Amino acid sequence: MFKKILIANRGEIACRVIKTARRMGIQTVAVYSDADRDALHVEMADEAVNIGPAPSNQSYLIIENILKAIKETGAEAVHPGYGFLSENSKFAEALEKEGIAFIGPNVKAIEVMGDKIASKKFANEAKVSTVPGYLGVIADTAEAVKIANEIGYPVMIKASAGGGGKGMRIAWSEEEVADGFKSSMSEAKSSFGDDRVFIEKFVTEPRHIEIQVLADGKDAIYVGERECSIQRRNQKVIEEAPSPFLDEATRKAMGEQAVALAKAVDYRSAGTVEFIVDKDKNFYFLEMNTRLQVEHPVTELITGIDLVEHMIRIAAGEKLSLKQADVKLNGWAIESRIYAEDPYRNFLPSTGRLVRYQPPAEGVTGTRTVRNDTGVFEGGEISLYYDPMIAKLCTHAPTREEAIDAMSEALDQFRIEGIQHNIPFLGAIMEHPRFRSGALTTGFIAEEFPDGFSGIEVTPERADLFALVATYVNELHAARATQISHQLPHRQRKLPEDWVVSFGTDWSQRVKAQEAAGGLDVAFLSDEGEVTSRHHISSNWTPGQSVFRGAIDGQPVVMQLERAKGLQGYHLNYRGSSANVVVRTRRAHEFALLMPEKVEADTSKLLLCPMPGLVVSINVEVGQEVKAGESLAVVEAMKMENILRAERDGVVKEINCAAGDSLAVDEIILEFE
Amino acid sequence: MKEIVRQLEERRQNAKMGGGQRRIDAQHTKGKLTARERIELFLDEGSFEEFDMFVEHDCHEFGMEKTKFPGDGVVTGWGTVNGRKVYIFAKDFTVFGGSLSRTHAKKITKVQDMAIRTGAPVIGLFDAGGARIQEGVDALGGYGEVFTRNVMASGVVPQISVIMGPCAGGDVYSPAMTDFIFMVRDTSYMFVTGPDVVKTVTNETVTAEELGGASIHTTKSSVADGAFDNDVIAMTQLRRLIDFLPLSNVSGVPERPFFDDPNREEPSLDTLIPHNPNMPYDMKELVLKTVDEADFFELQENFAKNIITGFGRIEGRTVGIVANQPMVLAGVLDSDASRKAARFVRFCDCFEIPIVTFVDVPGFLPGTAQEYGGLIKHGAKLLFAYTEATVPKVTVITRKAYGGAYDVMSSKHLRGDINYAWPTAQIAVMGAKGAVEIIHRQDLGDAEKIEAHTKAYEDRFLNPFVAAERGYIDDVIMPHGTRARVARALALLRDKELENPWKKHDNLPL
């Protein structure tokens, strides 16, 4: 076995690999860019080597720098993680030449599978079912349009070297092919240094289901499937294992094809064969990822297999110690990818300091398991140079329903401040009836959230829950306030019992709160003062805590709360819903109703920078007439080029920045007349 | 007796209606509450005891004797906020537009006098049309009586003014002499002379909002310490503020139960200071992670943002926080920041509120605008205020403490009690670049030498050690332990005794 390995990656995956290596008694070497010198993976590793400036194409993607770090530290093997150099055959070759073990597949497998055109030809030969498409290299836009017309719409344009949704576009028309071809090429170039793209038929109502394989160059087994249909713009958001869609026969058929493909390339290490599955359970080979997948923890949770350990053992020359019959699927696991993005503002990336980062406690409680793979820490930085993923929160339970419930609860305990994050959105998906029913397709998010996300509507039951938690929290704050020193002698303030809880402009509830054994009795009253329902809340919550844990009428409730600044009230978050809940005395509530609503400042005539980023281009001039939907400017953030489009027709009055400028969020890019 | 009680009830009902239902409705239509409604909202339920409900004016000019309303345009009295006594007067816009008469002024001075005598804050709610012209010099005299009490009460009991409608002419000077002024957005304005007079005299055309609205006074003039969206929020927040304030200069700070561990560690603060000394960071994060439950009542939030001032609690007891804000102008001290902080420090000192200072200051702001604007004297105000303050003073230098600004920011030399520095502190006369250019002027043409000199300077001076070696800081503390160390220092200093030499009063560089 190796004594020391180097992890040629960063973030959560580097930390994940280090954990297994440490358990196996292997020393670890981290590499880091200038932006990552305080990163968690650097802290966790036994040694760390700086490999260059922040941009990954000057650090994590430079093979020579990694080789230098290997020499410096005497590492015997390299785990590439995912992304970066993980599927770069040149890297694997370079390691081979230096006599360093690559904790990943053989060069041939990477080369064949790494090129999507070659891999498809290969899969056809190995009798793996594939999607119709054009496999050649496409020369220009005109050819792209011609090919797309032949295949029939919709088509998908993809980077030959790509993965993870980068450089991928779906086109429904000739214009979109033309547009998408160009941007796909430029994104492929900047992300992978390879601008080849190809086009294939886009299967509608598809599910994304992938098979995990483990192989040692001779033997190969499949380790169950993962369903990754919940994607936003081809970026996976929620994954689960097993798939709620597969029956044993389909699972076996897919697994056997995957194994056949792996064997055909003498596959060695962990790999993933991705399929598109249509509603009739026809499945088509999509691609094989010759690396550890981001979502591998769900497989680990339902099989109890440490995939990284097997990768390391196989790379060290050990034979695959598992037989197909050893793989047993147990229970259900869900993974939520927590991204630094603002779900309320069209998921724009958010960067900055993690002022608060408090994930839910990991471990086993009863039949439920919580696992959180992360590469960040409170006080750390989400930098604009890398992937915006903060953490992968996983839950496991005996059934899908319970795993989802566990996820809902874990999400509600996850506290992140300082940057925007998608936890409310993830919470909303967990609560979505269609998600719960398992009727998934890769179009789920686009179909169910066609106009973006604005929080799930607060149902009457939730409104009651919000009201009760707010009443409890308010009661404790108010009760504490009555304990202040210097009060008139013998005249300590008595707490009022009559309150009105309200949020928004049209929801309010009269409540009567009374301390009772082990908590608070709260009666809901009609406007006339008649009791309409009685509730009991118990909790150990004390002022200052940002997560409320307690029981309402005996049912456990977990909710996030924050004291609203400048308002009497609390910002509550629960399972994808949020509300600013105000608790006032009855009289104060009456007065509040007299107050006029404040009108928000009009920003419709401005184009504001939606995220911190770099202006790539300004595509209009002063005085130019623009039509709704026309591209106004391109801002780059998180390596993604974001095209900012006109929301309505107008005439450009003033432009406040130029290409190359670095902008903060909400800075004015241009103004309309 | 029965008849008298009936009459009393009738007169009370009558008085409570102020200027009548029509005017009350008009007030509501404008998005404002009436004086009595505001008081009801501000004080503990049922705690208001009204004085002088039946007072009427005694003016006989211009037929005024025919129009009288009980209360005469101002509601006065006392009550409690969370059981603690406060005095209050609220201008009643429904009666003579809340205008000030001789008797109206007498009602105000009565509560002011009571407040001074019994040691409790005075709250004034303003929503009025200025002097009652018909009263002539009697109204002016009335103003003067109120002003005198404002001055006598200053530093004895906290005085707070909330502008909740028009406040112009003579009416503005009483608030101006109180400790804090708050305004209500969109419904209040405050100026010495209104838009009409401005137009006549200077030919400027401005609206009341542009001339003296909440946004002007919280961002440009710094007359107001804060603004709220409406009357209800204003009264709620005023209650929150009162909970931070001592009743008087001899009462001591209020204390209430706390649930936040004084020894709470914040590992994230160890990474608050960026590697690059020219990168900003948000000092408010340190403030919020230091005080109890992240509850911080910020004052002058939108003015001179390069310095942060406000109240927090540590172990349930009020502290005043002053902190340079590197996010704005690198946290530099300019005239505005110096004035803002000086006034806050003096308030804390008046009322025995300990001061916690967080320092990251690159110096004073250079330039003609600053020098012509009297930066020397404005800067001296903060220097003066910190020096004369005898309350417990705990200071933490997080990063830069350069030049004269180092001295100013509650340094040991100004009788700072406990002065800590983070390991990232750089206590020096100036940054490396500037220092090297002066000390090694002869090498200016030689980039290599300058670089070596700069490195040498950084190594020698840009750390906490030079100051620590001299005892100018008491200890170097880890950022994650800041709350615990500050809390412990404050506990140590609770019984601090320090008196300045007897004087009639000092001569602050105004």
Side-chain angles (χ1 to χ4, degrees):
Chain A
M1 185 44 60
F2 308 118
K3 289 199 174 57
K4 190 190 272 187
I5 64 170
L6 180 142
I7 297 104
N9 214 304
R10 63 177 300 284
E12 65 87 15
I13 195 61
C15 299
R16 155 77 191 89
V17 173
I18 290 169
K19 276 186 192 164
T20 289
R22 180 176 295 165
R23 192 172 49 71
M24 294 172 72
I26 300 168
Q27 298 260 304
T28 53
V29 180
V31 292
Y32 63 95
S33 72
D34 292 347
D36 272 342
R37 68 177 102 173
D38 291 329
L40 191 61
H41 72 284
V42 174
E43 180 80 12
M44 282 176 66
D46 298 305
E47 288 170 74
V49 182
N50 182 298
I51 50 162
S56 49
N57 57 13
Q58 296 171 43
S59 52
Y60 294 106
L61 286 170
I62 304 282
I63 294 174
E64 297 87 85
N65 294 7
I66 308 281
L67 292 177
K68 220 172 127 228
I70 293 168
K71 286 208 183 93
E72 261 173 50
T73 56
E76 300 151 77
V78 174
H79 195 300
Y82 52 74
F84 294 140
L85 297 170
S86 61
E87 291 172 288
N88 185 323
S89 59
K90 291 194 187 88
F91 180 55
E93 265 169 26
L95 291 175
E96 204 167 284
K97 223 169 88 191
E98 300 287 332
I100 305 295
F102 181 62
I103 306 174
N106 41 318
V107 174
K108 176 185 167 192
I110 302 175
E111 273 177 352
V112 172
M113 294 303 163
D115 187 314
K116 285 183 181 124
I117 295 163
S119 74
K120 252 182 142 179
K121 285 181 177 157
F122 198 90
N124 280 334
E125 285 161 21
K127 298 198 168 58
V128 175
S129 50
T130 56
V131 186
Y134 180 78
L135 304 180
V137 175
I138 299 160
D140 55 21
T141 312
E143 197 188 346
V145 169
K146 193 172 141 265
I147 292 164
N149 285 338
E150 280 165 19
I151 298 172
Y153 293 96
V155 296
M156 187 186 277
I157 307 160
K158 281 168 114 180
S160 297
K166 291 224 168 72
M168 194 192 281
R169 297 284 187 283
I170 295 162
W172 299 77
S173 65
E174 284 190 12
E175 295 86 74
E176 285 182 15
V177 170
D179 251 16
F181 179 71
K182 265 191 261 166
S183 55
S184 182
M185 266 178 56
S186 84
E187 229 173 87
K189 177 95 185 161
S190 78
S191 292
F192 313 109
D194 177 349
D195 68 357
R196 286 176 307 151
V197 299
F198 73 101
I199 297 180
E200 68 181 14
K201 172 95 180 153
F202 179 60
V203 179
T204 46
E205 272 190 67
R207 287 169 173 257
H208 177 121
I209 300 175
E210 59 189 28
I211 303 291
Q212 175 72 51
V213 296
L214 269 178
D216 61 6
K218 278 190 170 147
D219 282 337
I221 57 169
Y222 60 95
V223 192
E225 80 283 4
R226 292 182 288 262
E227 171 145 14
C228 318
S229 297
I230 307 297
Q231 310 183 350
R232 205 183 62 78
R233 294 190 183 160
N234 296 314
Q235 181 79 47
K236 293 169 187 166
V237 177
I238 289 164
E239 299 100 338
E240 60 186 294
S243 160
F245 190 53
L246 291 197
D247 50 54
E248 200 47 57
T250 316
R251 175 174 298 128
K252 189 154 178 279
M254 290 172 76
E256 281 168 359
Q257 279 200 11
V259 164
L261 185 62
K263 281 189 173 161
V265 286
D266 307 324
Y267 200 84
R268 191 192 71 204
S269 194
T272 296
V273 181
E274 295 190 344
F275 291 96
I276 269 194
V277 183
D278 73 13
K279 58 180 189 295
D280 302 317
K281 295 203 174 94
N282 296 312
F283 54 91
Y284 306 101
F285 169 69
L286 213 53
E287 61 181 28
M288 180 170 188
N289 294 316
T290 55
R291 54 167 159 87
L292 189 64
Q293 292 279 85
V294 175
E295 59 273 20
H296 74 275
V298 288
T299 298
E300 297 186 328
L301 283 166
I302 61 159
T303 60
I305 293 170
D306 184 333
L307 291 170
V308 172
E309 181 181 341
H310 283 278
M311 289 177 82
I312 294 173
R313 290 193 183 282
I314 291 165
E318 290 184 20
K319 285 188 60 151
L320 182 57
S321 58
L322 295 168
K323 300 273 165 266
Q324 190 60 53
D326 297 334
V327 179
K328 300 243 162 50
L329 308 188
N330 160 39
W332 217 280
I334 310 266
E335 173 178 279
S336 293
R337 296 194 190 188
I338 308 211
Y339 285 112
E341 61 187 16
D342 188 345
Y344 303 109
R345 293 179 69 172
N346 207 17
F347 298 90
L348 290 164
S350 176
T351 58
R353 181 174 156 81
L354 283 166
V355 174
R356 289 286 179 208
Y357 174 78
Q358 290 162 0
E362 289 186 87
V364 183
T365 319
T367 57
R368 291 176 172 191
T369 306
V370 175
R371 167 173 168 178
N372 186 48
D373 284 24
T374 191
V376 301
F377 55 94
E378 187 167 287
E381 193 91 12
I382 300 293
S383 106
L384 56 88
Y385 296 106
Y386 313 111
D387 188 89
M389 195 166 74
I390 305 171
K392 301 181 321 204
L393 180 65
C394 300
T395 54
H396 177 260
T399 65
R400 186 168 187 267
E401 192 73 17
E402 288 169 274
I404 295 172
D405 283 342
M407 179 60 74
S408 284
E409 193 169 296
L411 287 168
D412 278 336
Q413 293 180 49
F414 209 129
R415 182 180 178 211
I416 297 174
E417 282 173 29
I419 54 158
Q420 300 302 317
H421 55 79
N422 65 338
I423 289 175
F425 180 62
L426 297 168
I429 293 176
M430 291 302 139
E431 294 299 294
H432 201 290
R434 183 174 151 196
F435 177 75
R436 290 222 166 217
S437 77
L440 315 179
T441 73
T442 54
F444 177 87
I445 289 176
E447 287 155 25
E448 300 300 329
F449 301 91
D451 306 317
F453 177 69
S454 53
I456 21 182
E457 202 193 335
V458 179
T459 58
E461 295 78 39
R462 280 192 183 191
D464 288 356
L465 220 49
F466 279 152
L468 288 164
V469 170
T471 301
Y472 187 89
V473 166
N474 180 68
E475 182 80 8
L476 261 68
H477 277 295
R480 190 258 302 272
T482 67
Q483 311 267 310
I484 197 166
S485 61
H486 300 95
Q487 299 190 39
L488 285 182
H490 315 299
R491 283 161 185 80
Q492 198 199 0
R493 176 163 194 236
K494 283 199 183 55
L495 263 189
E497 289 183 348
D498 264 333
W499 302 91
V500 177
V501 189
S502 63
F503 60 87
T505 44
D506 48 12
W507 194 95
S508 65
Q509 172 65 55
R510 217 177 129 182
V511 300
K512 200 174 175 95
Q514 274 172 321
E515 274 188 50
L520 195 69
D521 280 339
V522 180
F524 281 2
L525 308 181
S526 67
D527 290 345
E528 294 73 37
E530 312 244 326
V531 174
T532 55
S533 62
R534 292 185 191 279
H535 308 274
H536 181 79
I537 313 170
S538 60
S539 171
N540 293 322
W541 185 88
T542 55
Q545 291 178 5
S546 58
V547 175
F548 173 91
R549 286 185 191 82
I552 293 181
D553 300 328
Q555 293 297 310
V557 172
V558 176
M559 213 179 264
Q560 268 196 49
L561 72 105
E562 198 185 331
R563 255 190 127 162
K565 194 172 177 269
L567 289 165
Q568 185 190 22
Y570 310 93
H571 189 72
L572 297 175
N573 274 300
Y574 178 71
R575 305 201 167 189
S577 306
S578 66
N580 277 309
V581 186
V582 185
V583 186
R584 295 190 176 96
T585 60
R586 268 183 78 200
R587 196 74 175 120
H589 178 72
E590 282 170 30
F591 292 140
L593 292 177
L594 294 171
M595 296 293 109
E597 255 188 89
K598 292 281 166 183
V599 188
E600 295 262 330
D602 181 20
T603 54
S604 63
K605 298 250 184 247
L606 305 174
L607 176 70
L608 303 178
C609 188
M611 73 221 119
L614 193 74
V615 179
V616 176
S617 64
I618 301 283
N619 303 342
V620 289
E621 287 166 8
V622 172
Q624 189 177 330
E625 271 187 51
V626 295
K627 292 258 173 282
E630 207 169 308
S631 158
L632 299 173
V634 178
V635 175
E636 188 193 284
M638 300 277 190
K639 292 177 66 191
M640 294 285 281
E641 291 195 355
N642 299 275
I643 302 170
L644 308 180
R645 296 178 186 280
E647 284 184 14
R648 55 183 71 78
D649 299 355
V651 177
V652 179
K653 184 181 163 198
E654 206 181 322
I655 295 173
N656 296 353
C657 60
D661 287 356
S662 151
L663 298 183
V665 70
D666 279 344
E667 255 187 85
I668 298 171
I669 296 174
L670 53 85
E671 293 174 42
F672 294 103
E673 276 173 13
Chain B
M1 163 96 172
K2 231 180 182 175
E3 175 55 17
I4 295 290
V5 171
R6 193 195 60 75
Q7 278 184 33
L8 177 67
E9 207 40 54
E10 195 179 301
R11 288 180 67 148
R12 265 197 217 286
Q13 283 310 319
N14 190 26
K16 281 187 179 163
M17 287 306 286
Q21 192 60 47
R22 196 174 54 80
R23 291 204 176 97
I24 292 174
D25 292 344
Q27 188 82 349
H28 290 166
T29 310
K30 284 183 222 158
K32 301 194 294 184
L33 298 177
T34 66
R36 281 193 176 75
E37 288 167 344
R38 286 166 176 161
I39 291 171
E40 187 183 352
L41 202 46
F42 169 60
L43 295 173
D44 294 342
E45 303 72 26
S47 75
F48 181 50
E49 184 168 324
E50 187 168 345
F51 291 157
D52 301 337
M53 188 189 259
F54 310 114
V55 162
E56 292 175 352
H57 72 76
D58 49 12
C59 176
H60 292 269
E61 310 289 340
F62 309 103
M64 281 294 283
E65 66 278 6
K66 287 180 218 136
T67 325
K68 290 195 177 185
F69 289 94
D72 203 27
V74 64
V75 181
T76 63
W78 72 281
T80 57
V81 171
N82 283 319
R84 296 158 79 229
K85 62 192 171 190
V86 291
Y87 292 89
I88 188 160
F89 64 90
K91 304 269 185 171
D92 186 352
F93 195 78
T94 68
V95 175
F96 301 121
S99 61
L100 183 132
S101 67
R102 193 187 68 82
T103 44
H104 173 128
K106 265 191 91 172
K107 286 182 67 174
I108 296 173
T109 58
K110 187 194 245 183
V111 290
Q112 289 179 308
D113 288 336
M114 288 281 289
I116 295 169
R117 229 182 302 146
T118 60
V122 189
I123 316 301
L125 308 182
F126 291 81
D127 180 4
R132 204 172 298 161
I133 315 281
Q134 296 89 334
E135 293 233 345
V137 75
D138 267 347
L140 298 182
Y143 273 129
E145 298 290 337
V146 174
F147 299 155
T148 300
R149 267 66 168 196
N150 283 134
V151 175
M152 290 303 108
S154 183
V156 178
V157 294
Q159 301 181 82
I160 303 170
S161 307
V162 190
I163 317 301
M164 309 184 80
C167 181
D171 264 2
V172 301
Y173 284 107
S174 173
M177 287 191 292
T178 60
D179 297 301
F180 303 111
I181 297 177
F182 296 98
M183 296 181 74
V184 180
R185 290 191 189 100
D186 304 329
T187 48
S188 76
Y189 54 83
M190 197 183 178
F191 36 65
V192 179
T193 46
D196 296 347
V197 181
V198 169
K199 176 78 183 157
T200 319
V201 177
T202 69
N203 213 24
E204 290 170 282
T205 310
V206 286
T207 63
E209 180 66 27
E210 288 163 356
L211 188 60
S215 80
I216 295 302
H217 285 316
T218 51
T219 60
K220 277 208 166 79
S221 74
S222 84
V223 164
D225 295 278
F228 305 113
D229 271 348
N230 60 45
D231 283 14
V232 175
I233 294 171
M235 291 300 100
T236 312
Q237 289 296 313
L238 194 57
R239 280 180 70 88
R240 184 174 155 230
L241 174 62
I242 293 288
D243 279 352
F244 281 101
L245 300 182
L247 293 181
S248 74
N249 60 343
V250 294
S251 70
V253 296
E255 183 169 348
R256 62 178 212 188
F258 59 96
F259 299 94
D260 198 352
D261 181 4
N263 294 317
R264 167 168 51 83
E265 289 198 346
E266 290 288 355
S268 58
L269 291 179
D270 293 344
T271 55
L272 182 64
I273 308 295
H275 291 288
N276 179 347
N278 297 321
M279 285 277 288
Y281 60 92
D282 189 358
M283 187 65 99
K284 268 187 204 167
E285 183 179 335
L286 172 59
V287 173
L288 293 174
K289 286 182 173 176
T290 301
V291 299
D292 289 355
E293 297 166 24
D295 188 8
F296 180 59
F297 193 100
E298 188 167 357
L299 293 159
Q300 305 241 343
E301 189 175 356
N302 294 313
F303 179 78
K305 291 179 176 181
N306 36 337
I307 205 157
I308 302 165
T309 55
F311 298 112
R313 290 185 190 83
I314 288 181
E315 297 185 12
R317 295 168 63 89
T318 307
V319 291
I321 306 270
V322 180
N324 306 112
Q325 172 58 289
M327 296 275 279
V328 181
L329 295 169
V332 76
L333 281 181
D334 57 7
S335 298
D336 288 344
S338 302
R339 279 195 300 122
K340 168 179 165 181
R343 185 159 167 78
F344 180 73
V345 165
R346 280 167 64 89
F347 176 85
C348 292
D349 190 46
C350 282
F351 294 102
E352 298 296 339
I353 299 169
I355 300 165
V356 175
T357 307
F358 296 120
V359 184
D360 185 351
V361 64
F364 281 100
L365 182 63
T368 49
Q370 287 294 314
E371 297 292 355
Y372 294 177
L375 175 65
I376 295 171
K377 281 217 167 171
H378 293 303
K381 286 173 185 164
L382 184 54
L383 174 60
F384 199 111
Y386 264 124
T387 310
E388 70 172 342
T390 58
V391 291
K393 290 184 281 193
V394 178
T395 306
V396 181
I397 299 172
T398 60
R399 189 166 63 176
K400 295 170 192 169
Y402 287 171
Y406 152 72
D407 271 315
V408 170
M409 293 304 295
S410 196
S411 66
K412 205 72 179 168
H413 322 289
L414 311 186
R415 306 191 295 176
D417 293 302
I418 298 289
N419 293 60
Y420 294 129
W422 283 4
T424 42
Q426 308 173 358
I427 305 161
V429 171
M430 58 176 78
K433 188 170 171 288
V436 167
E437 280 171 8
I438 294 167
I439 303 170
H440 301 286
R441 188 163 293 163
Q442 72 283 1
D443 294 334
L444 272 182
D446 189 336
E448 220 165 86
K449 272 189 179 169
I450 288 292
E451 198 182 315
H453 290 316
T454 306
K455 175 86 174 54
Y457 183 92
E458 284 172 355
D459 290 347
R460 177 71 187 101
F461 295 109
L462 297 191
N463 56 53
F465 300 124
V466 183
E469 283 159 13
R470 286 157 177 77
Y472 297 165
I473 56 170
D474 298 296
D475 199 2
V476 179
I477 64 169
M478 284 307 289
H480 65 254
T482 302
R483 172 171 159 88
R485 296 297 290 266
V486 168
R488 194 158 184 272
L490 289 168
L492 169 75
L493 297 170
R494 201 175 283 188
D495 299 320
K496 173 187 175 184
E497 273 184 45
L498 177 64
E499 263 182 48
N500 292 334
W502 186 90
K503 53 182 93 172
K504 189 170 172 192
H505 60 70
D506 56 42
N507 188 15
L508 177 83
L510 288 174

